[in-house]
Amino acid sequence: MPDAVVVGAGPNGLAAAAIIARAGLSVEVFEASSSLGGGTRTSELMQPGHFHDICSAVHPMALASPFFRAFELASRVELVSPDISYASPLDGGRAAVAYRSLDRTAAELGRDGAAYRRLMAPLVRNIDDVMDFTQNQLLRIPRNPLVAGIFGLRTVEQGSSAWNARFREDLAPALLAGVASHAISHQPSLAASGAGLMLGALGHAQGWPIPIGGSAAISAALADDIRAHGGQIHTAAPIERLKDLPAARATLLNVSPRGLVRMAGDALPARYRSALEAFRYGNGSCKVDFILSGPVPWQAPGLADAGTVHLGGTRKELAHSENEVSAGRHPERPYVLVAQPSRFDPGRAPAGRHTLWTYCHVPANSTQDMTEAVTAQVERFAPGFRDLVVQSHAVTAAGLAEYNRNYIGGDFSVGTMDLRGLLQRPVVSPVPWRTPLPGVYLCSSSTPPGPGVTGMPGFHAARYALKDIFQLPVPALGITAPR
């Protein structure tokens, strides 16, 4: 009989299992798929020798997540941080570029450079306190209330009709809107602006790393540590009901609220079950991967050196695209998030070839293949792109839901990203990782701090399981920590 069992071998489930194993307890992980990783999988999706990240590709949290820092991920996985964290091209060959250097970024933003620096500098300077605030339950007193207040005021400004008040030109607003659009939310909104400011500050504080070998390197590092400390991982082992699991004192579930209802059935108290059934999921994405015969021919100088490029044009255009999705429509010119991993990791493709990772936002449950719309947006800012496409592969929002049962309707955030969705995740509680079932904890992105490859939902759930059941502290997680 293991001390603990974990369902789901995505980064959050693996993080929880690693912590449990490091505490000297026996743990078993059960994963429905034939391979572990969840949102951190890498595969030869189309042709041999061409490696594509199936979900996540670029990892702003890899150096900043409190869990990954304690785990010393940067010493386990080779990470490369491009000098340009992200960029937003505009028509006419111009682009707003976010360098790791805040000063250089501001210097290239024209008349708005000083205003952009004033917006971002306090967040970049206090990035550890920003992460403490954003990577925890919001219903708590933050470690540094002053920094939390500064972050909150900027979030309100950029999440309201005042979002352009400090700017006079279009480059800085486009840069901010591009990164805020990661949230798949109406714009302007508090959730989108908060996500954008946090991710943007990370881009300047330490960059947005790309794992050499693909995102699967992150899940492999977690799995290796679990096994090294006595844990077991079972793949191709779907769990339909809690009763299908081995008896254990602690059960940690990297599943959506809908998955918890399915697995627990009538064992859940009626009020809690009703709250889970009422949990709201967001809109979806259509992911399109490409094999190219050469690098993307960006019109704007410097974009070849950007790890991530946000396509959509001006802030007004980006907001229109996102608001069309919020209204249940497929935008004619969608916001497209582009990652260029093979530019920084040549092992992703044979010599002369490149892999390109893209997705755009679509209404939940969409079955529409957005390959043409995505291609047109890339071609808009990189004339000649079509001629380089060797092969493409699309997964619709409905397909994402089939790939991962947590991605309800194609929502890889596993929950609506708005203010209510941040506070009620999945219920309003000071400890939302605990469920009413004795020894059962939820550790998916449906719990704080929400989406992203951070390991933090797993960290929080494991922390409370250790405290509640085993009366143990969180163990040391670094490479040199004693076994």
Side-chain angles (χ1 to χ4, degrees), residues 197-215:
L197 288 171
M198 183 265 290
L199 291 171
L202 286 172
H204 297 306
Q206 55 198 26
W208 284 10
I210 296 171
I212 298 299
S215 293

Side-chain angles (χ1 to χ4, degrees), residues 158-441:
Q158 291 299 306
S160 70
S161 57
W163 65 346
N164 283 326
R166 69 169 72 216
F167 301 118
R168 294 175 289 176
E169 299 181 334
D170 54 4
L171 286 176
L175 192 64
L176 292 165
V179 70
S181 296
H182 282 241
I184 319 183
S185 179
H186 183 86
Q187 291 198 31
S189 69
L190 295 180
S193 66
L197 288 171
M198 183 265 290
L199 291 171
L202 286 172
H204 297 306
Q206 55 198 26
W208 284 10
I210 296 171
I212 298 299
S215 293
I218 295 176
S219 50
L222 288 164
D224 288 346
D225 197 73
I226 292 166
R227 294 185 179 113
H229 291 83
Q232 299 180 49
I233 301 175
H234 308 281
T235 56
I239 302 297
E240 300 297 335
R241 297 286 185 268
L242 290 180
K243 64 182 181 181
D244 297 335
L245 288 164
R249 296 174 66 187
T251 299
L252 296 98
L253 305 174
N254 184 13
V255 303
S256 69
R258 186 175 297 181
L260 175 55
V261 170
R262 181 187 70 250
M263 295 170 70
D266 294 337
L268 289 171
R271 184 174 179 180
Y272 185 79
R273 176 174 179 148
S274 295
L276 296 186
E277 290 174 337
F279 184 76
R280 299 170 307 130
Y281 298 92
N283 284 307
S285 296
C286 178
K287 185 169 182 292
V288 186
D289 288 284
F290 295 91
I291 293 175
L292 306 178
S293 60
V296 179
W298 298 112
Q299 186 177 17
L303 293 193
D305 296 323
T308 299
V309 184
H310 302 129
L311 304 184
T314 64
R315 170 174 266 182
K316 182 177 180 181
E317 290 178 288
L318 287 164
H320 174 74
S321 171
E322 293 299 273
N323 294 342
E324 284 285 280
V325 175
S326 294
R329 296 186 287 267
H330 293 81
E332 182 179 349
R333 282 185 158 185
Y335 163 77
V336 179
L337 197 153
V338 178
Q340 307 184 99
S342 61
R343 165 68 179 78
F344 307 94
D345 180 6
R348 301 287 187 98
R353 292 283 187 92
H354 282 270
T355 57
L356 193 72
W357 178 103
T358 78
Y359 74 75
C360 69
H361 298 154
V362 293
N365 299 302
S366 167
T367 59
Q368 186 165 323
D369 182 336
M370 297 292 284
T371 300
E372 174 53 34
V374 168
T375 301
Q377 279 290 63
V378 182
E379 180 78 19
R380 173 185 172 188
F381 299 105
F385 170 75
R386 289 181 184 274
D387 297 334
L388 300 176
V389 176
V390 175
Q391 191 173 350
S392 65
H393 178 274
V395 181
T396 66
L400 284 176
E402 292 178 5
Y403 161 77
N404 189 324
R405 287 194 290 185
N406 283 0
Y407 298 166
I408 308 298
D411 172 21
F412 53 67
S413 296
V414 200
T416 299
M417 291 298 292
D418 59 14
L419 184 59
R420 175 184 163 190
L422 292 175
L423 295 173
Q424 186 177 333
R425 203 164 185 94
V427 296
V428 178
S429 166
V431 187
W433 307 276
R434 287 190 190 125
T435 78
L437 300 179
V440 177
Y441 299 80

Side-chain angles (χ1 to χ4, degrees), residues 33-249:
S33 175
S34 58
S35 62
L36 56 84
T40 51
R41 290 191 178 111
T42 305
S43 173
E44 293 174 295
L45 191 60
M46 288 177 270
Q47 296 183 19
H50 298 75
F51 294 90
H52 305 265
D53 288 319
I54 304 304
C55 292
S56 61
V58 181
H59 295 272
M61 307 287 194
L63 298 173
S65 156
F67 167 73
F68 281 143
R69 291 181 65 176
F71 187 67
E72 298 179 359
L73 181 69
S75 296
R76 301 169 186 263
V77 174
E78 185 179 357
L79 301 168
V80 57
S81 295
D83 286 337
I84 297 175
S85 297
Y86 56 92
S88 290
L90 300 178
D91 292 321
R94 297 183 302 143
V97 176
Y99 297 94
R100 278 189 286 166
S101 167
L102 177 59
D103 289 341
R104 185 178 180 185
T105 302
E108 295 189 10
L109 289 177
R111 292 191 300 165
D112 287 335
Y116 181 84
R117 183 190 288 106
R118 286 193 296 271
L119 176 72
M120 299 300 294
L123 308 182
V124 175
R125 189 166 55 246
N126 298 286
I127 193 64
D128 288 346
D129 289 322
V130 169
M131 295 306 293
D132 171 76
F133 177 59
T134 59
Q135 296 302 298
N136 278 282
Q137 162 65 288
L138 294 181
L139 300 176
R140 61 186 280 273
I141 298 175
R143 181 176 68 190
N144 190 327
L146 177 60
V147 171
I150 292 171
F151 181 86
L153 289 173
R154 281 159 168 72
T155 296
V156 170
E157 173 199 310
Q158 291 299 306
S160 70
S161 57
W163 65 346
N164 283 326
R166 69 169 72 216
F167 301 118
R168 294 175 289 176
E169 299 181 334
D170 54 4
L171 286 176
L175 192 64
L176 292 165
V179 70
S181 296
H182 282 241
I184 319 183
S185 179
H186 183 86
Q187 291 198 31
S189 69
L190 295 180
S193 66
L197 288 171
M198 183 265 290
L199 291 171
L202 286 172
H204 297 306
Q206 55 198 26
W208 284 10
I210 296 171
I212 298 299
S215 293
I218 295 176
S219 50
L222 288 164
D224 288 346
D225 197 73
I226 292 166
R227 294 185 179 113
H229 291 83
Q232 299 180 49
I233 301 175
H234 308 281
T235 56
I239 302 297
E240 300 297 335
R241 297 286 185 268
L242 290 180
K243 64 182 181 181
D244 297 335
L245 288 164
R249 296 174 66 187

